[in-house]
Amino acid sequence: MPWAPRSVSASRIASFYDNGSANTTLWLWQGTGSGFTAPAAAWTSVTNGYDSTKTKPVAGDFNGDGRADIASFYDDPDRTASLWTWQGAAPTGFAAPASVWQSAPDNWKLNLASPL
């Protein structure tokens, strides 16, 4: 998932990675102008805390601060769906995730959603 750059020389790529056991890491690659640095972990969930196979992430500047953020719809185990955000933080990371919305049970089926 691309992380919108502030300039061409500051391009970054972010990706969720499934570590197994509902444990996920958010990795970042920093652009160098001629390639990318080795990936650095920006966030890791606890075991049984966040299953990346049950997410639909999107990137954008959701709080208007000029930094790219990540939002991810999550298929919760209690038959609800939730929306989590990771706000972009200087210089190359993200703030801790925050839950910003949750559906009523059986009210929002993530497998029918297509975030844009």
Side-chain angles (χ1 to χ4, degrees):
M1 137 189 358
W3 184 19
R6 295 189 104 167
S7 70
V8 173
S9 64
S11 295
R12 301 173 187 114
I13 297 173
S15 179
F16 286 116
Y17 186 83
D18 178 12
N19 300 313
S21 300
N23 174 263
T24 298
T25 299
L26 174 59
W27 291 95
L28 295 178
W29 288 258
Q30 177 70 42
T32 64
S34 62
F36 291 91
T37 62
W43 170 80
T44 300
S45 72
V46 297
T47 299
N48 295 318
Y50 195 83
D51 184 348
S52 68
T53 67
K54 296 181 177 187
T55 67
K56 292 195 176 186
V58 294
D61 181 6
F62 303 120
N63 61 1
D65 67 356
R67 291 187 177 95
D69 309 310
I70 296 172
S72 184
F73 289 93
Y74 189 78
D75 190 11
D76 291 305
D78 61 356
R79 300 183 348 262
T80 65
S82 56
L83 178 60
W84 291 81
T85 60
W86 287 256
Q87 292 187 359
T92 60
F94 289 93
S99 177
V100 296
W101 173 81
Q102 187 166 24
S103 73
D106 296 319
N107 192 19
W108 186 268
K109 295 183 174 143
L110 193 60
N111 63 326
L112 301 177
S114 296
L116 305 173

